Amino acid sequence: MENLMFVYSSCKVIWTLLITILGYSSSLPVGDDSICAAEELAKYSIIFTGKWSQAAFPKQYPLYRPPAQWSSLLGVTHSSDYSMWKKNEYASNGVRDFAEKGEAWVLMKEIEEAGEKIQSVHGIFSAPAISSGTGQTSTELEVHSRHPLVSFVVRIVPSPDWFVGIDSLNLCGGDHWVEEVSVDLFPYDAGTDSGFTFSSPNFATIPQDTVTEITCSSPSHPANSFYYPKLKILPPIAQVRMVKLKKNQLGLPLSHLNLPAKSNEIIDSISETPLDCEVSQWSSWGLCRGPCGKPGTKIRTRFVLLHPANDGTPCPDLDEETGCEPDNCI
């Protein structure tokens, strides 16, 4: 009887421990971030660099009304239970409003609701807009051992619904925080507007499409502002760099830290993308003109759709002449 009581007591203790462990595990965020064993909090500076220059992206480059520029940066530190946006998935209403119009109110509400409902959000951060295609903006963010992921969006202005950003970048390296990370950024289509060019008018995508990466060959349409079929890959349109702040740097202005300077080196590092000339189809042949009894000539024309840039293929002849028999003698 004593042995039975001992077995029963042992089983009860083991079962209690198991229930406790399972209960604790279920309260943690799901995913790789749940195994982060680094110190509880870490702060980073985040520096966004726009590389959208006319040399790198000469096709339909917006020079005015409005010129090429970047919206403010809006980001969040979170666990794997939350997703701001994901490639090949549908954009939320908040991401749609931000990508199309730069309006952040709905997206902010979505982030706050996710933080309150499942406690998946640690903090929100933002950085000022950039008034040109090239330049820098920066701010600070804080990550938590249970919220080590970083996501953000920046709208491409002007554009139908195009943006750049990062989805769930993990800054935890197991038992430590990553000291520094740099990521090249490429354009994405939010899937909510069907415009092809930077300055396209609003044309809602119905039904809504998923978020897709824009490449030099996709969408495969010559009217697309990023269509460069001779390239293997688009040059980065932007870059983001995150640097872990040491404790004695916390609270210092970013200008006092060892961060890249705002200078012409940003522009100098951008490669030039050749842009070939594009011309229209030939017009119909004109009237055959000439004196009676002798060969005449007729002409057809075409016009330039896109002027070449950066040593791209020059434009061909825009007029063509051929012989003919005059219909009406002069």
Side-chain angles (χ1 to χ4, degrees):
M1 179 64 72
E2 289 180 357
N3 289 338
L4 287 174
M5 290 298 293
F6 176 78
V7 171
Y8 172 78
S9 299
S10 299
C11 289
K12 188 176 180 181
V13 170
I14 293 171
W15 178 253
T16 302
L17 286 172
L18 183 60
I19 292 297
T20 302
I21 292 169
L22 289 174
Y24 174 73
S25 298
S26 65
S27 69
L28 290 175
V30 178
D32 292 341
D33 49 305
S34 63
I35 61 173
C36 179
E39 60 181 332
E40 190 175 51
L41 295 173
K43 272 197 173 183
Y44 284 81
S45 64
I46 176 170
I47 309 98
F48 175 87
T49 303
K51 294 188 174 185
W52 185 17
S53 70
Q54 190 171 11
F57 300 92
K59 188 173 183 179
Q60 302 162 1
Y61 189 81
L63 295 173
Y64 57 90
R65 296 183 182 178
Q69 57 191 278
W70 300 96
S71 76
S72 58
L73 179 151
L74 180 61
V76 60
T77 57
H78 58 95
S79 70
S80 58
D81 293 327
Y82 171 79
S83 174
M84 175 181 270
W85 66 275
K86 280 190 179 298
K87 182 180 177 181
N88 299 326
E89 294 188 7
Y90 293 104
S92 67
N93 291 335
V95 171
R96 177 200 63 202
D97 286 358
F98 192 87
E100 288 188 12
K101 299 173 283 188
E103 296 176 359
W105 172 252
V106 177
L107 183 54
M108 290 282 289
K109 291 293 292 182
E110 290 174 351
I111 295 171
E112 291 172 3
E113 288 173 3
E116 293 172 359
K117 185 176 180 181
I118 54 178
Q119 298 184 340
S120 57
V121 172
H122 178 71
I124 301 174
F125 57 92
S126 64
I130 303 174
S131 60
S132 61
T134 58
Q136 287 184 338
T137 187
S138 57
T139 187
E140 292 183 2
L141 61 89
E142 183 180 78
V143 285
H144 187 276
S145 57
R146 292 197 301 274
H147 304 85
L149 307 181
V150 175
S151 297
F152 70 81
V153 287
V154 183
R155 181 179 181 243
I156 297 172
V157 184
S159 75
D161 60 342
W162 301 341
F163 69 95
V164 298
I166 278 181
D167 166 37
S168 303
L169 177 67
N170 195 342
L171 294 180
C172 182
D175 61 350
H176 66 281
W177 293 106
V178 176
E179 289 295 324
E180 182 178 334
V181 61
S182 293
V183 181
D184 287 333
L185 302 177
F186 300 89
Y188 281 89
D189 187 319
T192 61
D193 192 294
S194 297
F196 267 128
T197 66
F198 294 119
S199 301
S200 293
N202 291 334
F203 184 57
T205 302
I206 301 174
Q208 181 176 333
D209 203 350
T210 58
V211 174
T212 55
E213 184 176 353
I214 301 172
T215 70
C216 55
S217 58
S218 179
S220 183
H221 194 292
N224 188 273
S225 293
F226 287 110
Y227 186 70
Y228 297 95
K230 290 189 176 181
L231 295 181
K232 291 183 178 179
I233 186 173
L234 285 176
I237 196 171
Q239 185 185 66
V240 66
R241 181 181 174 215
M242 297 180 216
V243 182
K244 185 175 179 291
L245 299 178
K246 296 179 174 61
K247 290 184 178 180
N248 60 358
Q249 292 176 326
L250 300 182
L252 291 177
L254 290 178
S255 59
H256 292 176
L257 306 179
N258 185 25
L259 302 178
K262 297 181 181 179
S263 68
N264 290 334
E265 65 184 3
I266 303 169
I267 300 174
D268 293 341
S269 64
I270 298 173
S271 60
E272 292 189 346
T273 300
L275 183 65
D276 297 337
C277 178
E278 293 182 13
V279 295
S280 67
Q281 298 292 322
W282 286 111
S283 68
S284 300
W285 287 103
L287 295 174
C288 183
R289 298 186 179 278
C292 294
K294 294 184 179 180
T297 58
K298 58 182 178 181
I299 297 174
R300 63 178 182 177
T301 61
R302 55 187 174 184
F303 57 90
V304 175
L305 296 173
L306 192 65
H307 289 278
N310 305 330
D311 296 323
T313 303
C315 293
D317 291 336
L318 301 178
D319 299 318
E320 187 175 59
E321 184 177 292
T322 189
C324 59
E325 291 293 332
D327 296 326
N328 299 314
C329 296
I330 299 176

